[in-house]
């Protein structure tokens, strides 16, 4: 992979996820904390209107609008669909982007701690995960490399390389110092790694490390009319990245009936009971634990 010359740090993709937004404000007033000698950094406030209205989004989830077909379809003209096209013009275009690397900053209401989501499993990303975990032992690395970057709908997929920082638990429209500190620290370590990569100075890293690979998303129990009839089981709630074995309880219906995990693998739930996903009745994502080689 060629050297990374231009990095975009994006905050406020969702208008009520405040850590990234307020870090952008801080960095815009004190940009020296983002400066590295081997590349330039641009800060991007993705969804200012949603922030002004204290909403996740105005019309559509902005972080699902960056498919190549949708970006080329100018009949898709809601606020977020238009905003996606503007961002694609600013830091893209996707497939031939001015930005070589995008860091997209997100909060989650789930108990995921400082999580780094990687869209590719090439050596650069595998080593980036190892470096972040070395600097932040509590960090969690999740690979969502089940599809090509071109097929991803996320803002960070505009560039050839992009990652998502996902930190929680933090309620929507709230700032927690520990969560903000995690996000700032992880962003700094990622920028440090990019500089080390550019200068051929990546230090000796662990040969391997534990991470997770996204497998599937589960929905909450609903009836034939689509009405919710249950909730995440109390033994699963807040236990992001803890093992869920086949036969373990996973949901409790409102009448007290327990529903058990019927999968054929040990799952590691995350994004458990994420508040932003309630409009889709999504309960959690499931991953498998993997060992990642840095070689």
């Amino acid at each position: 992979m060629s050297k990374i010359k231009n990095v975009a740090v994006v905050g406020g993709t969702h208008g009520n996820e405040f850590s990234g937004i307020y870090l952008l404000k801080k960095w815009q007033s004190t940009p020296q904390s983002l400066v590295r000698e081997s590349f330039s950094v641009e800060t991007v406030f993705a969804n200012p209107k949603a922030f002004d209205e204290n909403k996740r989004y105005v019309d559509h989830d902005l972080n699902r609008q960056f498919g190549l077909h949708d970006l080329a379809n100018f009949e898709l003209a809601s606020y977020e669909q238009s905003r996606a096209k503007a961002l694609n013009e600013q830091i893209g275009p996707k497939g031939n982007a001015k930005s070589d690397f995008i860091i997209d900053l997100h909060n989650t209401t789930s108990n995921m701690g400082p999580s780094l989501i990687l869209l590719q499993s090439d050596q650069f990303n595998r080593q980036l995960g190892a470096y972040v975990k070395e600097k932040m032992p509590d960090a969690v690395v999740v690979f969502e490399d089940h599809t090509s970057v071109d097929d991803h709908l996320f803002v960070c997929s505009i560039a050839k390389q992009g990652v998502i920082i996902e930190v929680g638990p933090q309620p929507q429209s709230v700032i927690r110092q520990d969560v903000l500190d995690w996000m700032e620290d992880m962003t700094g370590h990622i920028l440090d790694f990019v500089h080390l990569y550019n200068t051929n100075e990546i230090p000796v890293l662990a040969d391997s490390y534990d991470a997770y690979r996204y497998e599937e998303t589960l929905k909450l129990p609903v009836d034939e009319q689509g009405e919710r009839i249950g909730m995440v089981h109390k033994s699963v709630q807040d236990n992001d990245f803890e093992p869920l074995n086949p036969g373990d309880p996973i949901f409790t219906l409102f009448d007290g009936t327990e529903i058990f995990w019927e999968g054929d693998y040990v799952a590691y739930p995350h994004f458990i009971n994420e508040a932003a996903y309630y409009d889709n009745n999504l309960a959690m994502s499931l991953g498998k634990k993997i060992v990642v080689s840095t070689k």
Side-chain angles (χ1 to χ4, degrees):
M1 194 177 76
S2 57
K3 290 184 178 181
I4 292 170
K5 298 178 181 178
N6 300 296
V7 175
V9 180
V10 180
T13 301
H14 297 130
N16 58 7
E17 296 179 5
F18 278 5
S19 292
I21 294 167
Y22 282 92
L23 282 174
L24 283 189
K25 292 175 182 289
K26 173 181 178 179
W27 292 328
Q28 287 166 354
S29 63
T30 57
Q32 62 270 20
S33 60
L34 296 182
V35 171
R36 304 294 187 277
E37 292 181 0
S38 65
F39 56 87
S40 64
V41 180
E42 177 181 7
T43 56
V44 180
F45 192 169
N47 200 337
K49 187 174 181 181
F51 173 66
D52 289 342
E53 296 185 13
N54 195 18
K55 297 177 178 177
R56 178 176 174 85
Y57 53 81
V58 177
D59 295 315
H60 296 95
D61 188 332
L62 178 58
N63 215 28
R64 302 296 185 273
Q65 308 306 319
F66 293 91
L68 283 169
H69 178 75
D70 290 345
L71 289 169
N73 183 355
F74 286 88
E75 293 184 1
L76 300 177
S78 73
Y79 173 72
E80 275 81 14
Q81 289 165 346
S82 299
R83 186 68 184 138
K85 293 173 177 62
L87 290 168
N88 190 52
E89 178 70 20
Q90 178 180 351
I91 60 177
K94 189 170 182 176
N96 187 28
K98 295 181 283 290
S99 298
D100 303 307
F101 185 75
I102 296 173
I103 305 171
D104 192 20
L105 307 175
H106 287 265
N107 291 125
T108 173
T109 62
S110 303
N111 190 29
M112 288 174 56
S115 296
L116 175 62
I117 297 178
L118 303 175
L119 305 189
Q120 301 182 64
S121 55
D122 58 6
Q123 186 179 53
F124 174 86
N125 282 276
R126 298 195 311 271
Q127 291 187 342
L128 170 59
Y131 183 83
V132 169
K133 284 185 68 68
E134 180 179 289
K135 297 298 181 180
M136 299 178 68
D138 292 335
V140 177
V141 176
V142 180
F143 286 85
E144 290 201 5
D145 55 343
H146 51 283
T147 186
S148 72
V149 174
D150 286 347
D151 294 330
H152 274 286
L153 305 180
F154 306 143
V155 62
C156 63
S157 72
I158 291 176
K160 290 182 179 180
Q161 292 284 353
V163 300
I164 300 171
I165 297 178
E166 192 78 58
V167 187
Q170 179 164 289
Q172 296 166 338
S173 308
V174 166
I175 301 175
R176 282 181 49 151
Q177 183 179 356
D178 55 348
V179 169
L180 186 139
D181 287 349
W182 276 334
M183 182 177 285
E184 184 170 22
D185 289 347
M186 186 176 286
T187 302
H189 296 317
I190 293 171
L191 294 175
D192 288 342
F193 178 84
V194 172
H195 177 66
L196 292 168
Y197 169 81
N198 281 344
T199 57
N200 297 313
E201 296 177 324
I202 295 175
V204 176
L205 300 169
D207 290 340
S208 63
Y209 60 95
D210 290 340
Y212 303 89
R213 176 166 284 123
Y214 167 83
E215 286 291 317
E216 59 183 308
T217 298
L218 298 185
K219 288 197 169 187
L220 291 161
V222 297
D223 62 18
E224 294 179 354
Q225 289 73 45
E227 292 291 328
R228 197 173 301 142
I229 58 172
M231 54 194 161
V232 172
H233 195 278
K234 61 185 179 183
S235 64
V236 177
Q237 181 63 50
D238 299 327
N239 287 320
D240 294 72
F241 301 112
E242 294 296 325
L244 178 72
N245 295 291
D248 286 348
I250 189 169
F251 299 119
T252 303
L253 303 186
F254 296 136
D255 66 7
T257 303
E258 292 185 329
I259 306 296
F260 300 92
W261 167 232
E262 296 181 351
D264 60 359
Y265 63 94
V266 178
Y268 289 82
H270 50 287
F271 287 114
I272 297 170
N273 235 352
E274 166 60 54
Y277 296 160
Y278 259 56
D279 55 353
N280 295 321
N281 277 331
L282 301 183
M284 67 192 75
S285 296
L286 298 181
K288 289 182 178 178
K289 197 170 189 177
I290 59 174
V291 177
V292 179
S293 170
T294 57
K295 302 302 183 183

